[in-house]
Amino acid sequence: DDIQTAEYCPANLTFDVGSALLDAQAHKQRRVTFEIRVSAEHESDLSYSRKLYWYRNVSATVKYDTLPQIDNNVLYNQGRTCTQLKPYPSISGGLLEARGSDTDSWDQLTTEFALWPTGDPTARTTYTAPWSTSGRANGVTLPAGVLVDGKSYGWQARISDGAEASAWSKKCFFRYDTSKPSTATVTSSNYPARSTGEPAPTGVPGVFTFSGHGDKDIAGFQYSWSELGVNGCSYSGDYGQLECPDWLSGPGTVRANTPGGTATVELSPLRSGPGQLNVRSIDLAGNVSATTTYEMFLPSSEPEITVTSGTPQWDKEVVLKITPAPGVSGVTDYDITVGNGDTETRQPDEDGTAYFSFIATDSHGVNVTVRSRSANGFVSPTSRYSHYFSPEPGVASDVYDSHASGAVGGVGVQGKFTFTPPPGWRGVASYRYTFADDGSPLIDVPAGPDGSAEITWTPSASGQVTLTVYAVKPDGTVSDYANWYSFEVAGAQ
């Protein structure tokens, strides 16, 4: 290198010696010698005499750059892993992703993707993903019109830091498919179509056959008693790459016995009454057909739930009797869920009856769901039992029952009244009550260790009476809700 002029004196003379160093490295030389001299045509001219500045001397400036790397294990086309094996995976989108890395944190990276039709490797087009992130999946979505439906393509990726680029990755291949398969046909050997006017049998799983009627694009079927959802992928990969599931590996899917062939499933209904099974065809790229709806009438088959422990009370035991629906036989067990808790199983007696008990700890009330399972594979729809707990303190009487259909007790007839804590209250100090409605002060009665209290009262007149009761916590907090307990006192006999 040379410099013939300098803008100022003393001058900073800078030369690029990178090629000399690379040449020395290529020839395995450990030392390089550099010579600085006045150019030959001026060597005899004393006016060109120069000396090295003692303060600066000669120095070398080196820029260090690590070669970026491409990860051949993280190459994805539209959520599918890279493969070179036929048949190539079918995809319906144009997202290509690759993971590159560079240990130089200051480098600005760009990922390049080269794409070509499988029959013409020379028709290679490059697309770039600037501002790529080291160690993460970086992608490019191919512009509309680049990919042709039904055609196969190959691609590679590499990453560059602006100075150097990695080697190209291994080759990946896919088939582009955006065509929807044809609709499926649905038949059943034992659940008549609703148009026949015949109901489905009780307690027997439905047997349904789906057919692709020879359309070889149909790989399988999706089905549901409710609306069919949208197939989806997620950016859930270890490096942020899009990943798509096997479209025929999840619940509510079944593979055809051959492309365009049939599949048979056994299903138990989720509810009784008018019902429909929705079915659609699906191909290997995840394209789905229009929905075929098979309608039928489903008889009631939910188990019956009876409370045998009286009206449920908060923090008290509730006992349920569970029996199979009429026509449902061979019940092997019941799945029982209380509130949002775990599902428990109970085996019935020979007649199908089972008992289940629990403590009603939810202050809002009782909510129980039950379904039966039979030996023939039938799973019943869910039965529900609910009971709401009012938020006020409880009041009960041995004589003056507020639920009585008419007048009770009588003038001069003493009755006992029991007060219990409002649902959710673990501590009650006392209760405040009154039988009067004239604004007179409320009467306090202390609560016992279990939080309840008892009083006796004898009416002096017949007619309608309302007992008002509040609960009081140990800190003096009075319940927000009062129990207005009403009943009618009978007249004198």
Side-chain angles (χ1 to χ4, degrees):
D1 204 350
D2 65 86
I3 292 178
Q4 294 295 338
T5 61
E7 297 299 326
Y8 57 90
C9 184
N12 288 326
L13 307 180
T14 303
F15 306 99
D16 184 358
V17 297
S19 60
L21 294 176
L22 290 173
D23 182 68
Q25 182 188 40
H27 290 86
K28 301 186 184 303
Q29 295 174 346
R30 297 179 59 84
R31 183 182 296 274
V32 180
T33 300
F34 297 98
E35 179 184 65
I36 302 176
R37 69 180 186 181
V38 176
S39 56
E41 65 268 30
H42 299 301
E43 280 186 323
S44 60
D45 187 344
L46 293 178
S47 66
Y48 280 85
S49 174
R50 299 289 187 268
K51 66 178 179 179
L52 297 177
Y53 186 30
W54 66 268
Y55 183 75
R56 293 292 300 271
N57 211 321
V58 178
S59 63
T61 300
V62 179
K63 179 184 178 183
Y64 178 82
D65 185 66
T66 303
L67 183 68
Q69 302 292 323
I70 197 75
D71 187 349
N72 280 319
N73 294 317
V74 185
L75 300 169
Y76 282 78
N77 28 234
Q78 198 62 34
R80 302 289 186 189
T81 56
C82 170
T83 184
Q84 299 174 348
L85 302 177
K86 292 183 177 182
Y88 301 143
S90 294
I91 64 173
S92 58
L95 175 63
L96 307 180
E97 292 180 293
R99 175 180 178 263
S101 60
D102 190 347
T103 57
D104 302 331
S105 59
W106 57 84
D107 282 347
Q108 176 56 55
L109 304 178
T110 298
T111 307
E112 298 177 87
F113 296 86
L115 176 79
W116 64 91
T118 53
D120 188 6
T122 61
R124 187 179 176 102
T125 306
T126 301
Y127 303 89
T128 59
W131 306 104
S132 295
T133 302
S134 177
R136 303 293 292 173
N138 302 287
V140 63
T141 299
L142 300 174
V146 169
L147 301 177
V148 178
D149 186 40
K151 299 294 185 181
S152 296
Y153 296 86
W155 64 278
Q156 292 176 290
R158 70 177 180 180
I159 191 166
S160 169
D161 63 6
E164 299 178 286
S166 71
W168 285 101
S169 71
K170 66 182 181 180
K171 296 177 180 178
C172 307
F173 296 91
F174 65 86
R175 179 178 178 271
Y176 186 61
D177 179 9
T178 58
S179 298
K180 292 184 177 182
S182 57
T183 56
T185 58
V186 183
T187 58
S188 177
S189 60
N190 65 339
Y191 272 40
R194 190 176 178 184
S195 58
T196 65
E198 296 292 326
T202 303
V204 178
V207 180
F208 300 92
T209 299
F210 314 140
S211 174
H213 46 77
D215 181 355
K216 294 187 179 300
D217 190 34
I218 295 177
F221 308 92
Q222 295 177 322
Y223 57 90
S224 175
W225 290 107
S226 56
E227 293 296 324
L228 289 164
V230 177
N231 293 331
C233 307
S234 63
Y235 287 92
S236 56
D238 294 337
Y239 306 103
Q241 74 271 20
L242 182 72
E243 290 192 335
C244 298
D246 179 348
W247 305 119
L248 291 168
S249 64
T253 62
V254 61
R255 293 183 185 275
N257 58 354
T258 187
T262 64
T264 299
V265 296
E266 287 192 5
L267 302 174
S268 295
L270 299 180
R271 60 185 61 85
S272 57
Q276 61 183 35
L277 182 65
N278 296 309
V279 182
R280 64 188 180 193
S281 308
I282 184 170
D283 65 17
L284 293 176
N287 299 306
V288 296
S289 70
T291 299
T292 299
T293 299
Y294 185 85
E295 296 184 335
M296 67 212 86
F297 185 83
L298 306 168
S300 176
S301 55
E302 297 88 342
E304 297 178 357
I305 305 174
T306 306
V307 180
T308 62
S309 53
T311 302
Q313 301 292 324
W314 176 76
D315 212 26
K316 303 296 182 182
E317 183 181 43
V318 178
V319 181
L320 303 178
K321 178 182 179 182
I322 305 169
T323 54
V328 177
S329 61
V331 174
T332 58
D333 51 62
Y334 294 99
D335 291 336
I336 307 167
T337 305
V338 178
N340 296 320
D342 296 333
T343 298
E344 299 185 44
T345 301
R346 290 291 184 275
Q347 282 74 41
D349 297 333
E350 290 185 3
D351 63 355
T353 302
Y355 290 88
F356 178 78
S357 66
F358 62 97
I359 303 298
T361 56
D362 189 338
S363 61
H364 294 95
V366 173
N367 185 20
V368 181
T369 59
V370 180
R371 64 181 180 184
S372 65
R373 296 180 180 274
S374 300
N376 62 0
F378 178 76
V379 181
S380 77
T382 299
S383 288
R384 297 183 182 275
Y385 171 77
S386 297
H387 180 81
Y388 170 72
F389 291 145
S390 295
E392 68 271 1
V395 179
S397 177
D398 58 344
V399 175
Y400 297 100
D401 185 359
S402 65
H403 298 291
S405 58
V408 291
V411 176
V413 179
Q414 179 177 282
K416 181 174 66 175
F417 295 83
T418 302
F419 306 151
T420 52
W425 283 41
R426 294 291 181 183
V428 176
S430 63
Y431 294 90
R432 294 176 183 172
Y433 72 94
T434 181
F435 286 92
D437 57 2
D438 56 4
S440 57
L442 277 67
I443 303 170
D444 278 14
V445 58
D450 62 352
S452 67
E454 288 186 359
I455 64 167
T456 58
W457 176 77
T458 303
S460 58
S462 61
Q464 194 71 27
V465 176
T466 297
L467 166 63
T468 304
V469 182
Y470 290 90
V472 182
K473 290 183 177 180
D475 63 2
T477 301
V478 179
S479 59
D480 293 330
Y481 299 93
N483 190 329
W484 289 284
Y485 185 87
S486 298
F487 55 91
E488 183 180 358
V489 177
Q493 299 294 327

